[in-house]
Amino acid sequence: MKLVNSGSNVTMLDTTLSQRQDQFLHNLTLSLTAGLENPFGAELVALIGSGHERTNREAVATWVRFKRHEIFTMRLEGINPLESLRAQLLTRIELDQVW
């Protein structure tokens, strides 16, 4: 663990890349579900989940983990993964509503 002193507060940071990536994916999931009308509904489970989730938030978390490689490739290329994922998710939802 590293200690970062920011003023009077000392913050512990995880030093492993995997832990930082997992935290980033978790934050992406929270950001994506914040814009959902009903994050605790179950509409997205069949659409983007693996089928084992109970809520939209869990389905989005599964979907984000599935796109892990794509997300970190976007980051390396300087593309904002949040905006890209939000657009992909909205497109997927709109395509489902057409049926």
Side-chain angles (χ1 to χ4, degrees):
M1 296 272 184
K2 286 185 179 180
L3 294 176
V4 176
N5 188 357
S6 58
S8 61
N9 297 331
V10 174
T11 305
M12 304 286 275
L13 295 178
D14 296 322
T15 56
T16 66
L17 180 61
S18 178
Q19 288 173 331
R20 287 186 301 218
Q21 288 178 341
D22 288 344
Q23 185 60 48
F24 183 78
L25 294 176
H26 176 73
N27 291 341
L28 273 177
T29 299
L30 292 179
S31 296
L32 286 168
T33 56
L36 293 177
E37 195 171 297
N38 185 7
F40 298 105
E43 300 85 9
L44 296 178
V45 172
L47 187 62
I48 61 171
S50 66
H52 300 285
E53 300 83 7
R54 289 174 279 151
T55 65
N56 289 337
R57 179 169 284 175
E58 290 176 6
V60 171
T62 298
W63 184 69
V64 167
R65 283 192 304 272
F66 178 74
K67 293 188 163 287
R68 181 185 191 106
H69 179 72
E70 181 183 339
I71 290 167
F72 290 110
T73 300
M74 282 189 274
R75 285 187 76 192
L76 288 173
E77 294 172 351
I79 300 168
N80 183 350
L82 177 60
E83 293 304 318
S84 178
L85 289 176
R86 181 175 290 138
Q88 289 177 33
L89 183 59
L90 289 174
T91 300
R92 183 67 181 107
I93 291 169
E94 288 172 2
L95 285 175
D96 183 60
Q97 290 177 354
V98 170
W99 296 98

